[in-house]
Amino acid sequence: MIKKIRIRLQGHIIMLVLLLLMINIGYAQELKKVSGKVTDEKGEVLVGVSVRVKGSNTGTSTDKDGNYTLQAAPAAVLVFSYVGFGNQEASVNASGTVNIKMAGDKQLDEVVVVGYGTAKKKDLTGGLAVVGKEQINMVSTPNLMDRLVGQVAGFNVTTGNAAPGQDQALLIRGENSLSANNSPLIVLDGIPYSGSLVDLDPNNIENLTILKDASAVAIYGARGSNGVILIQTKRGMLGKAQVTYRGQLGFAEPMQRIDVMGPNEFIRLKQDIGRLKSGYTGDQLDPIAGNIMSVTERENFKNGITHNWQDYIFKRGITMDHQLSISGGTQNTKYMAAASSLSQEGVVYNSKLSRLNVTANIDQTFNNWLTVGLGTQFSQRNDGGVMPNIEHAIKMSPYGKYIDAAGYYVPEPMESSLIVNPMRNVNADQDRINRSFFLSGYADIKLPLKGLSARSNFGYNYRSSFTGTYYGRDTFDGREQAGLVGGRASINNGHYNDYTWENVLKYERTLGDHRFDATGLFSMQQTKSVGSSQSGEGFVTDNTSYYMMSTAARNLNMSSNLSETALLSYMGRINYGYKGKYIVTFTGRSDGASVFGENNKYAFFPSAALAWNIGEESFIKDKLNWVDLLKLRVSYGANGNQAITAYRTLDRLYSSVKYIWGDGGTAVNTAYLAGDGVGNPNLKWETTYTTNVGLDFQLFKNRLSGTIDAYLSRTKDLLMTRTVPIMNGYSRIWDNIGQTQNKGFEITLNSLNVDVKNFKWNSTAVFSLDRDKIVELRGDGLDDVNNSWFIGKPLRVFYDYNMVGIWQKGENYTVQQGAAAGAAKLEDVDGNGLIDSKDRKVIGSKMPRYTASLSNRLSYKNFYLSALVTGVFGVWRDDNMANIGSWTFGITNYVHNANYWTPENPEATIVSPGYTNNFGHGYYKKVSYVQVKNITLGYRIAQQLAKKLGVSGIDVNVSVNNLNTISNIRQVLNYDNTWMASYPTARSYMFGLNVNF
């Protein structure tokens, strides 16, 4: 407790000092009146042009005469933006008058971040998507990836565990690999980042770029087959110091609960189970005299005591998120620093997240040929706490006993070890602390030869993790029993560090109609991971918690581990463009990785891409003036996947067995070669070959724009475990065998629906579908039934007996052994008149048929409104509601109004509670769901009023996240999870305040 208080106090002191410093700097700035007129290239006034002070929320719009007026610092930079025109910047001058002439074609010169550099939007040949600050800020949760759900075509963010502090599963264009990792590569400020994205403060992110096709990701070679996410943090900007406070306060609750049976309905269920499964009649079905409930349940039934167990495990949680930042700079020095503190309570008892972030960036230009920069990020995250068992709370009898007379949790409320008290271990001590330090630095050097430059990037990442848990005597796991001293403790420590050093040489020239640039790269990376753990049982007192492990009376165990990897890479890329119409890109990268075999350390990954700016052709440009951009892209290339654990290529000895030599001898360690311990020196990368065809367009002065992509990829040399005859001395070995295929289609549409003087409304629609299948497994044309891998079928499927109905009285049950009225009627797949193991089939894919989303952003004067709706369609899931056997076990609660079979209800859709599932089959359903992800309403306080309050800008907003979900299933807590009792999705209500000093 003292440690926690000290950490919190240190964080608050840092925040207070930074706040006082920033306020003083903010008040020291003297504002001046700035005015001017905005016109187009023809001199015609532009109405409604957005004019804002860069790096702040201070802004206004031009009036009907194209004029504007605002207050800004003498050294501030103004940003002018208007539909169909590129953003234009201008510094405030001594006169205070800044007139601007905007050019309509500049928007096509917008620069976006690509691998190892930048490129103009119109010159891109690869498939990528840029997520700007406007999209990032649409959702108000403190998790960065949660803000990207549904925002990018082909990019799926799945929140399988919705607890605070948990990472999501990320997929770009589906899955390629059966056994290796399918997660994309994360690059933070130019450096590969292997830490948790939960550690990043979304308020520090400037933009993200999602690289998707082979041409875009080929520059990352052996790590690019699953796509790449480039994350750019905010940097300093020209002008006097800008101080910004961003704060959010809100609360969260479960978006929905499982609607279980109440006391009376539960009694009827128990009676139905008794008569249909056990043959009970008469008094045997009576709640008091019969056998349908335990002794404890009967006692509560007689006394009228009931419990809603979900009330005990679910709660409302408060969220507080604060950030202070300062940024500014001169022509030579630009800086940014920020400190943030997040405290987020989860919606399940004992779940929480506290996070402290400190960030500092500086960019220094020494002369016209040398610029260096340094960025640092530190984060500390604590999300410890033993949570209750959600499944047991949902299934618990309303008549179960919660606590005893002494106030302790009753271990088995229904006197059954199958369903125990969900709260019985919540009093345990648990600290889970993760610290991360990330450093990135660069040096940009302009060499004497015109167009030639060099850049050196260096990155270092250090992470530590600590989990300490102690189950005291007031918990079930730490109780005293059978004369043994109570208490159970465990400690786990982990330390990870890596460094990356990259050197880039670039040459750019434009000669008449010809433009070309060449990039060369040399890169090295090394990682090291160390872990240790210890545990023990039997402690004299609970007061020492997990801090005195050596005093454990029994079962004292220790372990440790080490893993190191290295990567060495070379890359070359050439871009060539002719008249801005025809663009070609060639990329080649060679990677050598220590995780692969001695005979295959290196591999080469090439790609090529072509782009044709059709809109620049005279037959379009001269005749269709409503076409701003029309570009066709085609690419093909190879990318690798090295995502396997280290040492698979080496023979591995195991030492988990001890030998005793002779009676009463001392146990000694031994080493042996396990059945899967033989390495493969020929192991190499999985390689994905991808073809992509894309179309980019901007129409009607950018009132309608978008991207359409179609792709086909094939992954070869899959990293898989192959079974071999045991006569070899081992039974399994990693090998490169098998192929998969992936094809898909993506559409992104952006529209400006309304744009008048005081009102603007734009929308973005995203649609994507992906179809994967297994082409080959082990070269023999045979399926792998044990892993549910089938040639010609999707990678992740349900393979089982298919329920096609419910058996009714009078039907012929002989086709299905053990069947009776009310039982599941299984499909006779092979038509032989008998249900057996050959009647199992592929039910469906665990990946969605397609995903879609729609976002809208509206503004009226100083008000703004945004809404985001996302949808997942056609994904097969376990139908937990239909699986009455796994719900009740004959003793537990069930879903309210469940339409299960009884002799009186033959038209039911759920099997009888008396059904014995002799085939062990599951129940499945094709699921679709649409979620209202976020709604935000905000107001920017008029600048005159803000000035009177001593600040330059104030923005207030209210928002709701995960408002509701519409689906063909209801009895789940998290629609991204196949299990109905997973951690629930939280509906949060947030109040936000942004203040610029």
Side-chain angles (χ1 to χ4, degrees), residues 21 248 353 393 554 566 574 672 705 743 753 775 892 923 989:
L21 174 63
Q248 284 191 319
L353 168 65
R554 61 187 184 276
I574 297 176
Y672 66 96
S705 63
K743 59 183 178 180
N753 308 311
V775 177
T892 62
Y923 302 79
Y989 304 88

Side-chain angles (χ1 to χ4, degrees), residues 201-251:
D201 181 3
N203 292 321
N204 285 336
I205 306 304
E206 181 71 20
N207 59 64
L208 298 95
T209 304
I210 314 296
L211 308 182
K212 296 187 285 187
D213 77 340
S215 175
V217 303
I219 201 165
Y220 292 101
R223 295 174 290 181
S225 67
N226 299 322
V228 181
I229 302 176
L230 307 179
I231 303 176
Q232 299 295 311
T233 59
K234 295 178 180 178
R235 312 291 292 194
M237 60 194 69
L238 183 66
K240 286 191 175 181
Q242 297 287 326
V243 181
T244 302
Y245 165 78
R246 298 178 179 87
Q248 284 191 319
L249 174 64
F251 71 90

